[in-house]
Amino acid sequence: MGRKVRVEEDATIDMTPMLDIVFIMLIFFIVTTVFVKEAGIEVNKPNGSLAVMPKNANIFIAITEDGKVWIDKRPVETDLVRSNLERLMAEQPSDVIIIQADKKAEHGLVVEVMDQIKAAGIDRISIATAGS
């Protein structure tokens, strides 16, 4: 008449909360990652014995031996350096811009690029050397 039925519960671990935490951490790390804007070309930098790489530099400008200026992996005209930097600074602000000038690049071109950087409102400019 009164039969008691015993129901056994499966002992399982619910993985959903752990997966939620992993995905939230992944999103956090993707959002907080600093992306470096490389110049996009390798140049022969001059030697420097006291070279120090700034920690928060993420925008690089390369000047080649033949007078070409590279920003964000593409060649840029000298008079367009300012507008390109303003765009890059809007995407990701940086305290310092690093110029990677070839040791045989014209001094005048390097000064023109530095003027364009100053016109974009950036006061800290570093020149990369082979030691940095």
Side-chain angles (χ1 to χ4, degrees):
M1 186 150 112
R3 285 174 95 189
K4 291 186 178 180
V5 178
R6 188 172 174 182
V7 178
E8 291 188 24
E9 294 181 17
D10 290 336
T12 60
I13 297 174
D14 189 13
M15 298 297 286
T16 305
M18 186 181 75
L19 291 174
D20 289 344
I21 291 172
V22 169
F23 284 125
I24 289 171
M25 288 175 52
L26 178 67
I27 291 169
F28 172 77
F29 288 124
I30 289 172
V31 169
T32 60
T33 301
V34 175
F35 296 101
V36 176
K37 301 290 183 181
E38 291 287 335
I41 192 164
E42 193 64 36
V43 295
N44 294 323
K45 297 176 271 195
N47 292 325
S49 59
L50 300 175
V52 177
M53 178 72 164
K55 293 179 183 175
N56 54 356
N58 58 1
I59 298 177
F60 292 82
I61 298 175
I63 302 173
T64 63
E65 179 181 355
D66 58 350
K68 292 187 176 148
V69 179
W70 288 72
I71 301 175
D72 200 18
K73 299 180 182 172
R74 58 189 175 84
V76 174
E77 295 294 325
T78 308
D79 55 344
L80 297 177
V81 169
R82 176 183 179 180
S83 59
N84 279 281
L85 282 179
E86 288 172 346
R87 178 184 54 82
L88 291 173
M89 292 295 286
E91 291 175 8
Q92 185 173 358
S94 178
D95 293 342
V96 63
I97 302 295
I98 296 183
I99 296 177
Q100 298 173 324
D102 192 280
K103 59 184 171 183
K104 294 183 181 177
E106 287 186 28
H107 178 72
L109 180 60
V110 175
V111 171
E112 285 181 42
V113 170
M114 291 174 77
D115 286 342
Q116 290 287 318
I117 294 170
K118 291 278 189 178
I122 302 159
D123 294 327
R124 294 184 58 202
I125 303 170
S126 290
I127 306 291
T129 61
S132 60

